[in-house]
Every structure is written in structure tokens, then in C-alpha cells.
Amino acid sequence: MAKHLEKELERLKKLIYTLSARVDENLELSVKSFLDNDVELARQVIETDKLIDELEIEVEEECLKALALYQPVAIDLRFIIAVMKMNNELERIGDLASDIAKNGIHINQAPKPKVPLDLHQMTYLAKTIVRKSLDALINIDTYLAREVIHDDEAINAMKQEMKLEIAEALKREPEHAESLMTLLAITHRLERIGDHASNIAEDVIYMVEADIVRHQTPEA
């Protein structure tokens, strides 16, 4: 029984790592499609999200099978629970990446504001925090996981700054309201990506230390 469980856990690790790699790549491409106004790349991102959804279902089914067949305890049980939660977070990041690609297609077809809004820094931070959370998962690194939770605050603060900037631009350029509101939606999605990455980091800490850090302040 123990050997069978060990093999099942190894299979789960490979599956969640494969899913995380696909989500990471699709997020990278979604941001690139938006920044480069690349409609074909955006459509590729949207199509790839369907594969991510299929893999997410496979991971969930494997988790449920492991729970039913082997009745794991202690760290093995925490690992499976953490993988189930991470699986959901990764799928949501994939959905948000697809939504950003769709926003990029929409903005590409709409009139541009005269005053450009620079989203490069926020997109870079979002990509970085996702990579860190996945590195924390792969390396079982709780120190890096806690760094992710702290970094998420920077993305939240940047979103607020962008929101104020877009509000001012709406007053100056009401004729570009549609494009500006799409940009606002993208900043919201980037913030949500940071939140999901932070949730993955929290799950890594729970898996290793059995410590639930959700809803605690970064200082805690």
C-alpha cells in the first residue's frame, strides 16, 4: 500500500508541475500578446487555456483517487489537499491569462487613448510573483512562499495607483472610455493573478508546516 501511495504522489507531483509550467507559459504569452498587440498570439493563448482546463480536471481526479484508495495521513494527506487547492488556483490564473488575451484583442480594435498607460511594471510583477510561487512549490521552499505573500502587497498597491491614473484619464479623454475601462479590467486581472499566486504560496506553507497563514497580515 505504501509503495502504491508513493507512486501516486509522484504522479501527482508530475501532473501539478506540468500544469504549473503550462499556466506560466500561457501567462507569459498573454502578456506578450497584449503588450505587442499580437492578435494571433492572443488567440493561441485562448486555445491553450482549453488544454489547461483538461489537465486541471485530470489532477483533481487523481487527487480524489488517491484519497479514496490509500487514505493518506499526516504530510501525505496535507500534500494531496494542497495540490487540490493549488490546482484550482492555477486553473484560475490560466483563465485570467486567457481573459487578458481577450482584452488585448478588444483593445487592439478600439481607439487608443492619447495618454498611454504603462502596464509593463505591473505585468512584470505579476509574472514574477507567479514564477516565485511555482518555484516555492517545486522546491518546497516556505521562505520563498512567504516572500510571495509579501510581494503580493506591491501588486495590490500598484493596482490602486493605476486605478487612479485611469480615473484621471477618463476625465481628460471620455471619448476613449471603452479602451480605458478595458485597461482597468486588465489591471484587476493582474491583481487577481497575484492573489492566486499568493494563495499557492500559502498552500505550500500549509503543506510543509501544517500552518494555515491565510487571512494573516504579511508581518504575521
Side-chain angles (χ1 to χ4, degrees), residues 22 26 29 39-54 94 97-99 101-102 105:
R22 286 192 179 177
N26 226 34
L29 294 178
V39 173
E40 286 306 312
L41 185 57
R43 290 185 177 129
Q44 178 186 324
V45 168
I46 295 164
E47 194 63 28
T48 301
D49 187 51
K50 297 175 185 176
L51 301 177
I52 290 172
D53 291 342
E54 291 173 3
S98 178
D99 288 340
K102 292 172 185 175
I105 293 173

Side-chain angles (χ1 to χ4, degrees), residues 56-124:
E56 185 258 344
I57 292 171
E58 184 179 356
V59 172
E60 183 177 348
E61 289 175 345
E62 286 297 320
C63 286
L64 293 173
K65 184 173 80 173
L67 289 171
L69 291 179
Y70 306 113
Q71 300 180 339
V73 295
I75 191 168
D76 291 339
L77 177 60
R78 293 203 303 274
F79 172 77
I80 294 171
I81 292 171
V83 166
M84 290 183 74
K85 294 166 72 178
M86 291 174 192
N87 188 41
N88 182 62
E89 304 292 352
L90 287 167
E91 191 271 337
R92 285 298 301 128
I93 292 173
D95 285 346
L96 289 164
S98 178
D99 288 340
I100 288 172
K102 292 172 185 175
N103 288 147
I105 293 173
H106 183 72
I107 274 193
N108 181 268
Q109 297 169 344
K112 304 294 188 297
K114 294 178 182 176
V115 180
L117 296 169
D118 187 5
L119 286 175
H120 284 76
Q121 188 177 3
M122 191 174 183
T123 53
Y124 173 79

Side-chain angles (χ1 to χ4, degrees), residues 151-182:
D151 288 348
D152 184 42
E153 294 298 308
I155 293 180
N156 294 340
M158 194 169 293
K159 192 275 179 91
Q160 290 304 314
E161 291 177 10
M162 293 297 296
K163 185 177 178 180
L164 292 173
E165 190 174 343
I166 290 170
E168 288 299 315
L170 279 168
K171 294 176 185 176
R172 294 191 306 268
E173 306 176 57
E175 70 276 14
H176 294 119
E178 188 176 4
S179 291
L180 289 166
M181 292 307 295
T182 302

